[in-house]
């Protein structure tokens, strides 16, 4: 009898123990939520849910206010007894469109979005899963707030508020990707980032130089990559996923795999993606000027103009890419976390399509023009420290080395000389960022040191269907060292209905360069200069009611001259050549921004943003002399000498409008509209349209979410730029534009209708896809050399474990 009682009591205690396990689900109770923070002040306990979305309630016994919080979901505050009454099962509700989450880019540290005065757009991992962007450039474009220009399929140059290329900044896990050879012409470095390895992306609009230094004039694009998950017990936590995707417009095939292994103190994460892109097919309805009726073939050592059997196929545009991310994270104790990350990306060679459609004397101008493999490696070591001390509450130290390799090869039609230029940049950086909680205010401060080593070589190859022989040739840049050293501080203080934020940064920068005078008799063989720049910002939020918010931002930014500005020799266009100029200094931007955010009937949020930016001492290309000559023979052509100079000013003003409207519980309407106008000063003092201030553009969508289906119907659209409104530089590129009735180039308006859908088959499998450009429009985004994809059927199969 006694034995039976003991067994019974033991069994009841076991049942009671099991009953202390709480499981957290999403709103539809279909997915268990991993990594949810559960915390209580009394008793003082903080844990996160395990791989099964569970946590042990026992340590919280007697707790009156147990906080349950998870990114993207509303925080719940429950007592111990309330959790028991819920049957140890809790459903988390997604944040409504009225709620704000966390952002990192504003102050280089995670903060609540309500503490940031800057305008920031967030693109989540869930957005990426539904949209299926092929590249990181496409990911940015899917937001409807960033305009993407493409010169070739292996491209994507973001434009933000009238600025682009080296006047906007790219950061990966807080490390600046911009380097000393980022040029003013369109760039494609952003495609080195694998969108399938990105957890979230933040776009900060307007100058961000206080936190990020040089180049952050138009905005900052911050990519935050995925991290390993830690185990909460003695059992390893193994999670991961895989994806295969096909797209019809370019016969894309993408394969991706990622895995995370988590122990209590160690975490490991790996991600690998392989992309294959065929020649891109344009749409069937649009300007005939975009068609590709012919292309160059190499036959028996000769260039031959061949007929393209399918003029919609943009040949050659195919390329491939491999991307990898590997991370190791170690938490020795509750205060420290150490992380090492290796990023790698390499493309195949890819053709510069906009150059291959140029003509000269009724023949193609080029027989070949392509980029060699674009290779990017980053080794990143980070140490973070969380503890309340006299000087700080949170410290982050990052040391990184990035290796960039890029090359360009071109050969005139019918020529047997293939020119090649190869550039390598080694970028070292040290970032120390700290926060300190003061009396009802916060201080963010830190230092940044960046050194770029640039090596540039040139070759002349004798070509006959292949390279026959090679000799040294003219390099694109001098061998140089570019450096930047800075300290910054930002302070914010909430004051009832007001929030004040003030920041400042002082930056020293300089270049040391050695010039090769073998091919051109430059008046100097070396140069060295060092200068400084100050940036500041003031932000003020005012919330007269819970539903209304006004924001005023005053900020300045700068761009220090880099090696591309100071030292390059290249042909900018037929008949002109850019030569080095060492007498240049930083350009400075001054910005004012007004924001109104209004909640309407607790169902919609309307955000109105207006801004004005003045760019002083703008670095622009202007006519120049070399050894007293205004023209030199370059590549066999008498060419006007030009150089980058602080010779102009520019102005940009515009507006952004965004509406989010919750039509019903599962139905949402979202619309984003961007309008900007920019002008720059010309040689004669007159004003002309600014090159990167594109047409108005926007995106509107209706989305429906009800488990297991997520559906979105949306339209992307942009306005026209007539010939008279095209920038002078763009008027000289008739081969990339449509032709108006007067025979002049112009950029037509266009609109596409698109559909995306994702179905969760179960917790482990989902299918996503859709149809882009349903009506098969033939169009080119402004300033793009390649036409966008025609009707494109996308199908993706995703698995998780």
């Amino acid at each position: 009898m006694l034995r039976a009682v003991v067994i019974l009591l033991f069994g009841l205690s076991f049942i009671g123990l099991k009953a202390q396990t709480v499981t957290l689900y999403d709103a539809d109770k279909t997915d268990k939520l991993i990594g949810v923070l559960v915390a209580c002040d009394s008793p003082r306990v903080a844990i996160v849910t395990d791989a099964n979305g569970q946590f042990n309630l026992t340590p919280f016994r007697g707790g009156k206010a147990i906080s349950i919080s998870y990114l993207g979901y509303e925080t719940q505050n429950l007592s111990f007894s309330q959790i028991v009454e819920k049957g140890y099962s809790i459903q988390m509700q997604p944040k409504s469109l009225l709620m704000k989450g966390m952002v990192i880019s504003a102050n280089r540290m995670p903060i609540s979005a309500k503490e940031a005065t800057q305008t920031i757009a967030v693109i989540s991992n869930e957005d990426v899963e539904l949209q299926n962007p092929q590249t990181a450039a496409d990911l940015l474009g899917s937001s409807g707030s960033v305009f993407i220009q493409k010169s070739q399929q292996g491209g994507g140059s973001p434009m933000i508020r009238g600025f682009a290329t080296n006047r906007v900044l790219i950061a990966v896990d807080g490390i600046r990707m911009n380097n000393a050879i980022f040029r003013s012409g369109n760039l494609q470095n952003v495609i080195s980032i694998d969108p399938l390895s990105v957890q979230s992306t933040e776009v900060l609009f307007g100058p961000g130089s206080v936190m990020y230094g040089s180049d952050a004039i138009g905005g900052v694009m911050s990519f935050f990559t995925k991290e390993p998950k830690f185990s909460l017990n003695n059992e390893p936590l193994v999670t991961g996923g895989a994806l295969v995707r096909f797209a019809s417009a370019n016969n894309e095939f993408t394969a991706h795999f990622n895995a995370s292994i988590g122990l209590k103190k160690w975490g490991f994460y790996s991600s690998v993606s392989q992309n294959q892109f065929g020649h891109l097919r344009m749409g069937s309805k649009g300007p005939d000027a975009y068609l590709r009726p012919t292309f160059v073939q190499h036959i028996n050592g000769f260039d031959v103009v061949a007929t393209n059997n399918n003029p919609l196929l943009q040949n050659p545009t195919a390329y491939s890419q491999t991307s990898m991310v590997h991370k190791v994270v170690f938490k020795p104790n509750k205060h420290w976390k150490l992380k090492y990350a290796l990023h790698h990306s390499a493309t195949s060679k890819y053709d510069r399509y906009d150059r291959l459609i140029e003509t000269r004397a009724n023949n193609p101008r080029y027989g070949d023009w392509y980029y060699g493999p674009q290779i990017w490696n980053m080794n990143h070591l980070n140490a973070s420290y969380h503890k309340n001390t006299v000087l700080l509450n949170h410290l982050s130290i990052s040391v990184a080395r990035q290796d960039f390799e890029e090359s360009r090869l071109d050969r005139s039609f019918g020529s047997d000389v293939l020119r090649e230029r190869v550039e390598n940049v080694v970028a070292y950086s040290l970032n120390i960022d700290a926060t300190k909680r003061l009396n009802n205010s916060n201080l963010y401060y830190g230092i940044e040191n960046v050194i770029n080593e640039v090596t540039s070589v040139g070759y002349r190859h004798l070509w006959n269907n292949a390279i026959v022989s090679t000799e040294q040739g003219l390099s694109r840049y001098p061998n140089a060292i570019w450096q930047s050293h800075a300290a910054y501080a930002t302070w914010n203080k909430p004051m009832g209905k007001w929030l004040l934020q003030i920041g400042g940064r002082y930056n020293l920068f300089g270049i040391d360069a050695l010039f090769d005078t073998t091919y051109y008799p430059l008046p100097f063989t070396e140069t060295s200069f060092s200068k400084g720049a100050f940036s500041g910002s003031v932000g003020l939020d005012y919330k007269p009611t819970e539903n209304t918010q006004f924001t005023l931002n005053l900020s300045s930014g700068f761009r220090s001259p880099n090696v591309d500005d100071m030292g390059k020799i290249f042909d900018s266009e037929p008949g002109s050549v850019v030569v080095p100029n060492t007498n240049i200094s930083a350009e400075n931007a001054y910005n004012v921004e007004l924001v109104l955010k209004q909640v309407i009937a607790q169902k919609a949020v309307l955000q109105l943003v207006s801004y004005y930016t003045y760019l002083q001492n703008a670095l622009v290309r202007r006519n120049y002399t070399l050894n007293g000559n205004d023209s030199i023979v370059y590549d066999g052509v008498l060419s006007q000498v030009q150089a980058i100079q602080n010779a102009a000013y520019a102005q940009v003003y515009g507006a952004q409008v965004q509406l989010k409207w919750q039509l019903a519980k599962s139905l949402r309407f979202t619309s984003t509209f961007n309008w900007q106008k920019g002008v720059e000063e010309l040689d004669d003092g007159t004003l002309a349209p600014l090159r990167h201030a594109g047409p108005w553009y926007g995106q509107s969508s209706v989305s429906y979410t009800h488990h297991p289906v997520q559906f979105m119907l949306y339209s992307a659209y942009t306005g026209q730029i007539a010939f008279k409104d095209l920038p002078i530089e763009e008027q000289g590129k008739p081969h990339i534009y449509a032709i108006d009735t007067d025979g002049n180039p112009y950029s037509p308006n266009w609109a596409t209708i698109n559909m995306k859908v994702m179905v969760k088959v179960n917790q482990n499998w989902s299918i996503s896809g859709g149809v882009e450009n349903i009506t098969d429009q033939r169009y080119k985004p402004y300033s793009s050399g390649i036409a966008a994809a025609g009707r494109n059927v996308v199908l993706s199969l995703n698995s998780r474990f």
Side-chain angles (χ1 to χ4, degrees):
M1 179 67 179
L2 179 61
R3 182 181 178 185
V5 171
V6 171
I7 293 173
L8 177 62
L9 291 175
F10 178 80
L12 290 173
S13 65
F14 178 77
I15 293 171
L17 179 63
K18 291 290 288 183
Q20 299 296 309
T21 300
V22 181
T23 305
L24 297 183
Y25 297 92
D26 63 2
D28 295 314
K29 210 169 184 179
T30 54
D31 289 331
K32 296 176 181 178
L33 301 179
I34 302 170
V36 179
L37 176 63
V38 184
C40 184
D41 288 333
S42 180
R44 193 169 184 81
V45 184
I47 59 177
V48 295
T49 55
D50 61 17
N52 296 313
Q54 297 178 330
F55 72 94
N56 183 8
L57 184 61
T58 304
F60 295 90
R61 186 176 297 278
K64 301 296 184 183
I66 302 171
S67 173
I68 304 172
S69 58
Y70 191 54
L71 184 64
Y73 290 81
E74 295 185 14
T75 298
Q76 296 190 41
N77 290 288
L78 303 170
S79 66
F80 182 92
S81 59
Q82 286 175 321
I83 294 175
V84 173
E85 290 172 4
K86 287 179 174 288
Y88 303 94
S89 176
I90 299 174
Q91 291 173 254
M92 301 288 288
Q93 299 298 321
K95 285 186 175 180
S96 73
L97 59 101
L98 308 181
M99 300 291 288
K100 287 188 175 182
M102 302 291 290
V103 293
I104 301 174
S105 59
N107 291 325
R108 299 184 62 89
M109 291 283 190
I111 62 170
S112 170
K114 66 183 180 182
E115 296 180 33
T117 62
Q118 301 96 323
T119 301
I120 299 174
V122 179
I123 307 169
S124 68
N125 183 55
E126 290 73 22
D127 296 328
V128 174
E129 290 181 346
L130 178 63
Q131 288 280 5
N132 276 303
Q134 293 185 347
T135 68
D138 298 332
L139 183 157
L140 291 167
S142 70
S143 69
S145 299
V146 180
F147 193 91
I148 301 297
Q149 179 277 349
K150 291 187 179 183
S151 297
Q152 63 280 329
Q153 185 172 203
S157 188
M159 299 183 185
I160 304 176
R161 292 190 175 182
F163 297 102
T165 62
N166 53 18
R167 288 175 181 158
V168 295
L169 188 128
I170 304 168
V172 180
D173 292 332
I175 304 299
R176 60 180 289 133
M177 178 181 270
N178 291 41
N179 63 48
I181 62 171
F182 266 40
R183 57 189 181 272
S184 59
N186 297 308
L187 292 168
Q188 59 269 6
N189 295 74
V190 73
I191 71 169
S192 292
I193 303 167
D194 178 14
L196 295 173
S197 71
V198 174
Q199 182 63 36
S200 68
T201 304
E202 297 177 11
V203 181
L204 185 153
F205 296 94
S209 289
V210 169
M211 287 295 171
Y212 294 92
S214 177
D215 304 2
I217 291 177
V220 178
M221 296 156 284
S222 294
F223 296 86
F224 302 98
T225 56
K226 295 177 181 177
E227 301 277 347
K229 299 179 175 68
F230 289 92
S231 175
L232 303 178
N233 51 46
N234 293 324
E235 296 295 322
L237 172 61
V238 180
T239 59
L243 172 146
V244 290
R245 183 175 64 219
F246 169 80
S248 64
N250 57 357
N251 287 322
E252 177 212 11
F253 179 78
T254 289
H256 168 81
F257 176 81
N258 69 81
S260 171
I261 301 175
L263 307 176
K264 276 193 170 182
K265 291 189 175 183
W266 289 89
F268 306 88
Y269 173 81
S270 287
S271 167
V272 180
S273 295
Q274 178 65 45
N275 310 97
Q276 297 283 345
F277 304 108
H279 301 312
L280 182 64
R281 174 193 170 276
M282 68 180 80
S284 61
K285 303 171 185 175
D288 289 343
Y290 299 162
L291 293 173
R292 179 70 160 153
T294 61
F295 64 98
V296 175
Q297 283 188 321
H298 312 312
I299 301 176
N300 298 325
F302 295 95
D303 291 332
V304 177
V305 178
T307 300
N308 189 359
N309 293 329
N310 182 1
L312 301 181
L313 199 64
Q314 299 176 95
N315 183 0
T317 53
Y319 79 104
S320 62
Q321 182 168 342
T322 301
S323 304
M324 292 184 286
V325 178
H326 304 292
K327 293 187 178 183
V328 179
V329 183
F330 175 53
K331 295 195 300 184
N333 53 50
K334 66 179 181 180
H335 300 302
W336 284 97
K337 182 167 75 171
L338 306 176
K339 177 174 64 179
Y340 168 74
L342 169 64
H343 298 254
H344 168 75
S345 173
T347 70
S348 64
K349 82 171 189 69
Y350 52 100
D351 294 275
R352 178 76 185 265
Y353 184 78
D354 65 332
R355 292 296 179 95
L356 293 175
I357 61 176
E358 281 189 57
T359 60
R360 182 165 60 185
N362 297 320
N363 277 319
R365 183 183 178 193
Y366 293 100
D368 284 300
W369 210 121
Y370 57 90
Y371 290 105
Q374 178 174 293
I375 301 172
W376 172 63
N377 294 303
M378 180 168 74
N379 292 273
H380 178 196
L381 182 63
N382 174 264
S384 61
Y385 178 71
H386 292 264
K387 189 176 181 180
N388 295 333
T389 69
V390 175
L391 295 178
L392 55 87
N393 304 112
H394 180 198
L395 172 69
S396 176
I397 303 172
S398 284
V399 180
R401 169 179 168 148
Q402 298 178 78
D403 292 84
F404 301 84
E405 180 178 322
E406 59 185 57
S407 57
R408 45 186 54 78
L409 297 93
D410 66 88
R411 183 181 58 82
S412 296
F413 183 79
S415 172
D416 60 359
V417 175
L418 177 69
R419 296 187 309 170
E420 179 179 12
R421 294 175 175 183
V422 182
E423 285 77 52
N424 288 275
V425 179
V426 181
Y428 302 94
S429 61
L430 168 66
N431 291 85
I432 301 177
D433 304 296
T435 65
K436 176 60 182 175
R437 178 73 176 173
L438 305 173
N439 292 330
N440 196 32
S441 65
N442 297 284
L443 178 66
Y444 305 87
Y445 61 99
I447 62 172
E448 179 184 67
N449 296 280
V450 180
I451 297 176
N452 284 194
E453 297 176 353
V454 178
T455 304
S456 181
V457 295
Y459 303 100
R460 285 174 59 88
H461 305 292
L462 182 63
W463 182 91
N464 185 3
N465 269 3
I467 294 174
V468 176
S469 62
T470 299
E471 63 181 30
Q472 203 75 18
L474 179 67
S475 64
R476 183 176 172 89
Y477 299 114
N479 291 336
I481 295 177
W482 178 90
Q483 3 186 2
S484 169
H485 308 283
Y488 78 87
T490 293
W491 173 80
N492 70 23
K493 180 179 177 62
M495 301 173 291
K497 296 180 179 182
W498 297 84
L499 172 67
L500 175 64
Q501 179 165 297
I502 301 174
R505 177 190 186 103
Y506 186 73
N507 225 105
L508 289 172
F509 57 87
I511 297 178
D512 297 284
L514 295 174
F515 292 88
D516 183 356
T517 58
T518 303
Y519 300 96
Y520 288 102
L522 299 174
F524 43 78
T525 58
E526 61 181 75
T527 188
S528 179
F529 70 84
S530 179
K531 299 181 181 180
F534 175 79
S535 295
S537 64
V538 177
L540 187 64
D541 270 353
Y542 173 57
K543 290 186 68 175
T545 70
E546 281 298 312
N547 296 328
T548 304
Q549 178 177 317
F550 297 95
T551 302
L552 169 66
N553 283 309
L554 304 173
S555 57
S556 65
F558 75 98
R559 187 176 76 82
S560 62
N562 62 22
V563 177
D564 182 85
D565 297 310
M566 181 272 295
K568 84 180 153 193
I569 295 181
F570 86 116
D571 56 327
S572 58
E573 64 231 0
S576 64
V577 59
V578 173
V579 300
N581 176 21
T582 60
N583 187 28
I584 50 178
S585 58
E587 54 185 18
N588 298 282
Y590 304 94
N591 180 76
V592 58
E593 176 187 77
L594 291 170
V595 184
L596 167 63
K597 191 168 187 178
Q598 180 67 50
V599 177
I600 304 170
Q602 298 302 308
K603 289 184 177 295
V605 173
L606 176 65
Q607 179 172 277
L608 305 175
V609 182
S610 61
Y611 60 88
Y612 171 81
T613 305
Y614 180 82
L615 185 67
Q616 185 182 50
N617 294 326
L619 290 162
V620 294
R621 194 170 66 229
R622 291 288 186 263
N623 290 344
Y624 195 61
T625 60
L626 181 64
N627 296 326
N629 300 312
D630 62 4
S631 298
I632 60 174
V633 176
Y634 180 82
D635 195 26
V637 177
L638 184 64
S639 301
Q640 168 69 53
V641 174
Q642 296 183 325
I644 303 297
Q645 305 170 56
N646 296 104
Y649 69 87
Q651 302 177 72
V652 181
Y653 51 94
Q656 294 173 287
V657 181
Q658 184 178 72
L659 175 65
K660 294 183 179 180
W661 184 7
Q662 198 74 39
L663 301 172
K665 180 180 179 181
S666 301
L667 192 63
R668 177 182 294 188
F669 173 77
T670 303
S671 187
T672 302
F673 180 82
N674 307 268
W675 176 85
Q676 56 279 314
K677 185 75 172 178
V679 294
E680 66 175 339
E681 183 185 20
L682 299 180
D683 273 344
D684 60 4
T686 61
L687 297 178
L690 186 64
R691 177 184 178 188
H692 291 127
W696 59 260
Y697 64 98
Q699 181 172 296
S700 299
S701 67
V702 176
S703 57
Y704 173 81
T705 304
H706 186 72
H707 185 80
V709 176
Q710 186 175 358
F711 174 85
M712 181 168 67
L713 182 68
Y714 67 99
S715 176
Y717 39 84
T718 188
Q720 173 180 295
I721 299 184
F723 172 74
K724 64 180 180 61
D725 298 320
L726 277 177
I728 301 297
E729 186 174 345
E730 297 300 301
Q731 290 181 359
K733 304 175 184 177
H735 57 284
I736 72 170
Y737 286 102
I739 304 301
D740 64 19
T741 54
D742 295 323
N744 295 318
Y746 80 110
S747 181
N749 59 354
W750 54 264
T752 63
I753 300 173
N754 316 269
M755 179 271 292
K756 296 291 175 66
V757 64
M758 182 166 65
V759 179
K760 290 186 177 180
V761 180
N762 53 41
Q763 286 188 341
N764 302 110
W765 292 93
S766 64
I767 300 173
S768 62
V771 182
E772 299 171 342
N773 192 2
I774 294 173
T775 58
D776 204 30
Q777 298 299 304
R778 184 188 309 141
Y779 69 97
K780 287 184 178 181
Y782 163 72
S783 192
S784 292
I786 188 171
R791 185 182 296 114
N792 187 30
V793 179
V794 182
L795 181 63
S796 175
L797 178 64
N798 308 269
S799 70
R800 294 180 181 177
F801 59 88

